[in-house]
Amino acid sequence: MSSITNLADHQLLSGNHAVAWGARLARPQVIPVYPITPQSPIMEKLGDFHAAGEIDAEVLTPESEHSAMAAAIAASLAGARVFTATASQGILLMHELLHYAAGGRAPIVMCNVNRTVASPWAFWPDATDSLSQRDTGWIQLYSETPQESLDSTIQAFRVAETVSLPTMVCHDAFYVSHAMEPVALPDQALVDGYLPAYDPEHFVEPGRGESFGYVIDQATFNRTRRDLDEAMARVPETLEEADTAWRELTGRSYGVIERYRLDDADTAIVTMGSMAGTARVAVDEMRAAGERVGLLKVRLFRPFPVAHVRTALAGIGRAVVLDRNYSPGLGGMLHQELKAALFGLNGSTPAVHGLLAGVGGVNVTPEKIRQFVGDTTDREPQPQSLWVE
Amino acid sequence: MQKIDLVDRDLFNPGHAACPGCQESLALRAILNTIGPDAAAVFPPSCGAVICGPHPYSSLQIPVFQTSLESAAAAASGLRRALNQRGKHDTTVVCFAGDGGTYDIGFQALSSAVERNENILYVCFDNEGYMNTGAQKSSSTPLHASTASTPGGKPSKKKDIIGILAAHGIPYVATAATGHMNDLIAKVEKSLTIEGTRFLAVLVPCLDGWGLPDDSGVSVSRLAVDSGMWPLYEVEQGHRYTLNHDNKTRPVADYLSLQKRYRHLDETQLAEVQAAVDQDWAQLRRRAAESTEARASG
Ligand SMILES: Cc1ncc(C[n+]2csc(CCOP(=O)(O)OP(=O)(O)O)c2C)c(N)n1
Ligand code: SF4
Ligand SMILES: [Mg+2]
């Protein structure tokens, strides 16, 4: 593809620095942000860019994530492009305002680094933090690699601003946030062409006579939720369009979901984030051993890409879901969402096995995944998720 | 009789949802019209936020963003920064919050905004309680006042928000009262000439929450000042104190006896309130005198 020659040299970047680059290239105008492990390198890198005059943004460092998100929403509704980042306790502290952001239709982009939530206190990869925010009205993307995190950050602005919904790009603590890999940095001009300046229809502006967030009656409130629902419904196709356009410019794309060696598979491993990378290796090994196993990577988790997963899994005998997250009393959140998404596929519904694998950051190797998948062959699928190790 | 120096630019519409005689709407009208049309406002939940709406109506002729109860100062900061980015440095960003949203749940965000010296005007409508939710206590409720959550009277003193903000070194902090409109208007005008965070606490006697007749707001507000319960003063750069009404002429009993929230007070409690007011007043006068001396010698 000729446009690949537009790419600057690859740089060795961690996932977090890749996100900071993605944000920089998107030219955010306001960046309110608060540190937390393992997000802080994103904030620090953006601070370096700012200090060096390489980004022209207002950087705010308030006393908490709660205030960071409050500032982000007001700035976004005042017509600025806004980026922030957080993790773990930080996203939980934002919870109330995540609803405000989505209800207010503020297209903020935020990176969440998936880390365990206290108590007890820990720092390991686990997506319970952002998955527990799935009902707040944010679009959620989960990323497997530093390159994908950079590309997703830029795509996220395009999607968020098209449908007027806030969007989070999530990647796993350390496995992605701190792992280094050569990352292709797109040209600024390329990104500028892909992502025009933010130009919203409605914004806070003296003389415009528009106000936001007033008390409303039941019927009007109801309508705001229907509007939100319509916007959510447009997300998969909007992401597909954004992803295709990105591929045309850079040669890279990730889809709404990714089907890896799934065409003739009788078994699909279904997972998200860095676990998809490990599962990919396991799939290759099982294929080499003659087993018909493939991978379904869920990149877009909210809205849940129901149509996509139904098409991808129809007719496949078995789906083995690997959840590195835990909802007490429910189980793995991907497992539960997937089962609901497959409802009514009738004869072609796969047997769905939900496995709680790697919760709390426990290491899951390709060998382990092969074992987990093997163990499901002579087990009836259960409605609950099963702890495995 | 006093003539009020307000140029009404019709920035506050009639027909809003405040209780008849509400002092908060009176203050809002004066402040909005003093700031003028090049402004954008942030309201957290409070009586003020109700007075704004309901959607699709607006009683304010400037744009408003309503944020959460804890985040008025943070949201105003975000709005400010976005307007700066869009080249609107001259637009006034004003925050209108209640005492609950300021002294209590929103204090963390306020302290941080002041520490960053965000270029915003923060107005606290101080009605000494959570009126929107049925007149419960806040940390601004004065000693012995009864509220829905302290029916026997509040056992602790009102928080000294002005002293706390002065300790931040805030460029400008002042008290005002609806019974002294020209002083209020002058303070808003002065705040508009200052860069950085400016804070104005306006006492707004709440008819419903304090147990007052509809037509008594202004006179009760004047009594609050005359009794020394709500002294009018300002502090610049955290240390230059000026008393704007150096005339404490009435016993607190004259002020308290008009309000149902103090109906249960016994003689000892009344004496306690009077003693605390006398002490605070003496300290305030001392600070103002020291500031005058410092100015004379400096
Ligand atoms: C997080 C949160 N907790 C509680 C409330 C309920 N609430 C709404 S307004 C209010 C009281 C506000 O009091 P104040 O700031 O003094 O304003 P006033 O109503 O007196 O004008 C409360 C507790 C809320 N909106 N948000
Ligand atoms: S409750 Fe008090 S402050 Fe609120 S509108 Fe009524 S009089 Fe005004
Ligand atoms: Mg109040």
Side-chain angles (χ1 to χ4, degrees):
Chain A
M1 221 171 288
S2 62
S3 52
I4 290 178
T5 54
N6 285 339
L7 295 178
D9 285 340
H10 282 62
Q11 277 196 24
L12 195 61
L13 293 180
S14 68
N16 278 347
H17 284 181
V19 166
W21 267 101
R24 166 181 165 160
L25 289 163
R27 298 188 190 274
Q29 293 161 290
V30 180
I31 306 175
V33 64
Y34 189 85
I36 183 167
T37 303
Q39 175 277 117
S40 307
I42 301 177
M43 164 183 189
E44 289 163 5
K45 191 74 187 166
L46 287 168
D48 290 345
F49 290 151
H50 190 246
E54 291 163 350
I55 49 175
D56 175 25
E58 295 267 344
V59 177
L60 259 105
T61 51
E63 85 300 336
S64 68
E65 289 90 347
H66 194 280
S67 284
M69 184 46 65
I73 297 165
S76 177
L77 294 179
R81 180 171 286 161
V82 181
F83 178 79
T84 186
T86 190
S88 185
Q89 308 309 127
I91 195 171
L92 299 187
L93 186 60
M94 288 177 180
H95 174 72
E96 178 200 26
L97 290 160
L98 297 182
H99 282 281
Y100 262 86
R105 307 296 295 270
I108 299 158
V109 170
M110 171 163 79
C111 176
N112 182 67
V113 184
N114 290 119
R115 173 190 143 187
T116 47
V117 294
S119 171
W121 199 27
F123 310 90
W124 321 128
D126 185 316
T128 307
D129 56 356
S130 54
L131 286 172
S132 73
Q133 305 307 308
R134 62 191 158 162
D135 297 334
T136 56
W138 283 60
I139 298 167
Q140 294 196 349
L141 295 167
Y142 287 80
S143 154
E144 180 184 342
T145 65
Q147 182 75 63
E148 184 181 346
S149 295
L150 182 149
D151 294 336
S152 290
T153 301
I154 296 167
Q155 290 187 9
F157 279 104
R158 180 147 153 165
V159 175
E161 290 168 12
T162 304
V163 298
S164 300
L165 282 176
T167 302
M168 56 179 95
V169 175
C170 307
H171 67 201
D172 282 321
F174 305 110
Y175 290 146
V176 183
S177 71
H178 285 60
M180 313 269 285
E181 70 173 27
V183 173
L185 286 183
D187 268 2
Q188 184 66 63
L190 178 151
V191 178
D192 289 346
Y194 176 80
L195 192 63
Y198 180 45
D199 182 21
E201 198 181 330
H202 302 282
F203 55 99
V204 177
E205 170 89 338
R208 274 181 73 97
E210 290 188 329
S211 291
F212 296 79
Y214 278 21
V215 171
I216 56 174
D217 63 27
Q218 299 92 324
T220 320
F221 190 94
N222 186 286
R223 224 183 73 206
T224 68
R225 279 357 189 210
R226 287 165 186 247
D227 287 349
L228 217 151
D229 197 41
E230 273 173 28
M232 272 287 173
R234 285 170 54 212
V235 171
E237 70 187 80
T238 308
L239 176 60
E240 250 158 15
E241 179 280 326
D243 195 50
T244 305
W246 190 247
R247 185 180 60 228
E248 281 161 9
L249 293 170
T250 68
R252 295 185 301 276
S253 67
Y254 307 91
V256 166
I257 56 168
E258 183 196 340
R259 307 167 79 258
Y260 179 69
R261 305 187 77 170
L262 209 54
D263 279 345
D264 62 339
D266 59 26
T267 302
I269 299 172
V270 186
T271 193
M272 310 195 294
S274 66
M275 187 80 85
T278 318
R280 216 178 276 278
V281 176
V283 164
D284 289 345
E285 290 172 358
M286 286 185 275
R287 283 278 176 182
E291 296 169 57
R292 283 166 46 209
V293 179
L295 166 69
L296 173 64
K297 167 178 150 184
V298 176
R299 179 180 183 225
L300 176 68
F301 181 83
R302 190 56 95 240
F304 199 77
V306 173
H308 291 76
V309 301
R310 284 169 81 90
T311 308
L313 293 178
I316 289 183
R318 210 161 24 128
V320 181
V321 185
L322 304 178
D323 267 304
R324 179 172 258 142
N325 64 81
Y326 172 57
S327 167
L330 180 75
M333 292 184 237
L334 179 59
H335 176 213
Q336 302 300 337
E337 300 250 350
L338 187 78
K339 275 192 309 175
L342 297 178
F343 176 80
L345 261 184
N346 298 330
S348 53
T349 310
V352 180
H353 297 260
L355 307 181
L356 292 162
V359 173
V362 169
N363 191 23
V364 176
T365 59
E367 295 70 47
K368 281 277 173 205
I369 293 180
R370 291 173 60 183
Q371 178 205 316
F372 296 155
V373 172
D375 289 350
T376 59
T377 45
D378 45 26
R379 194 164 62 215
E380 282 297 306
Q382 304 294 318
Q384 310 86 345
S385 313
L386 230 71
W387 290 93
V388 292
E389 59 188 67
Chain B
M1 238 355 150
Q2 192 186 36
K3 183 175 170 297
I4 293 171
D5 308 324
L6 181 67
V7 180
D8 198 331
R9 309 186 228 208
D10 289 334
L11 293 174
F12 188 55
N13 300 334
H16 53 74
C19 306
C22 175
Q23 296 298 289
E24 181 159 329
S25 49
L26 198 63
L28 187 52
R29 176 168 155 229
I31 295 167
L32 281 176
N33 282 296
T34 306
I35 296 172
D38 189 10
V42 169
F43 283 77
S46 55
C47 283
V50 175
I51 295 169
C52 285
H55 178 87
Y57 305 108
S58 184
S59 51
L60 280 68
Q61 294 281 10
I62 61 168
V64 172
F65 171 59
Q66 293 203 358
T67 186
S68 73
L69 189 51
E70 323 77 29
S71 62
S77 305
L79 188 54
R80 166 82 281 156
R81 302 300 192 96
L83 291 172
N84 287 354
Q85 272 280 322
R86 295 185 28 236
K88 305 237 155 205
H89 296 268
D90 294 337
T91 300
T92 300
V93 172
V94 56
C95 203
F96 293 106
D99 48 289
T102 302
Y103 290 63
D104 289 342
I105 196 166
F107 181 71
Q108 172 173 318
L110 170 61
S111 174
S112 177
V114 177
E115 178 270 326
R116 297 191 307 276
N117 200 22
E118 295 284 350
N119 189 22
I120 57 174
L121 169 60
Y122 190 113
V123 176
C124 172
F125 288 132
D126 193 346
N127 53 21
E128 303 187 326
Y130 301 162
M131 299 317 173
N132 187 263
T133 41
Q136 298 87 2
K137 75 130 216 190
S138 76
S139 59
S140 162
T141 304
L143 180 67
H144 296 318
S146 89
T147 68
S149 55
T150 57
K154 179 171 174 266
S156 54
K157 275 187 73 175
K158 181 182 173 93
K159 194 190 269 184
D160 176 14
I161 195 79
I162 305 293
I164 293 165
L165 292 173
H168 284 65
I170 186 171
Y172 183 73
V173 55
T175 62
T178 46
H180 291 262
M181 264 302 169
N182 288 338
D183 176 74
L184 167 62
I185 292 163
K187 282 171 175 165
V188 175
E189 278 169 350
K190 182 167 179 174
S191 78
L192 295 177
T193 67
I194 297 167
E195 181 91 10
T197 317
R198 296 137 285 159
F199 182 94
L200 202 56
V202 186
L203 185 75
V204 288
C206 172
L207 312 169
D208 198 46
W210 296 12
L212 297 171
D214 285 359
D215 59 356
S216 68
V218 171
S219 52
V220 168
S221 162
R222 290 190 73 86
L223 273 170
V225 174
D226 292 342
S227 64
M229 284 285 285
W230 185 261
L232 296 180
Y233 65 109
E234 54 194 357
V235 190
E236 287 160 274
Q237 305 305 334
H239 61 89
R240 280 209 321 268
Y241 280 71
T242 307
L243 250 177
N244 312 110
H245 184 85
D246 189 4
N247 204 8
K248 181 160 94 66
T249 52
R250 307 281 287 262
V252 293
D254 288 2
Y255 172 61
L256 306 185
S257 61
L258 298 176
Q259 309 174 39
K260 285 199 186 126
R261 62 179 176 155
Y262 290 110
R263 217 166 26 185
H264 61 285
L265 240 61
D266 62 27
E267 287 302 316
T268 319
Q269 290 171 321
L270 183 62
E272 262 175 50
V273 175
Q274 184 66 62
V277 165
D278 291 346
Q279 196 181 352
D280 289 350
W281 178 258
Q283 187 189 52
L284 190 56
R285 289 204 67 178
R286 208 166 39 244
R287 284 184 177 155
E290 281 165 13
S291 297
T292 311
E293 275 168 36
R295 258 174 287 196
S297 64

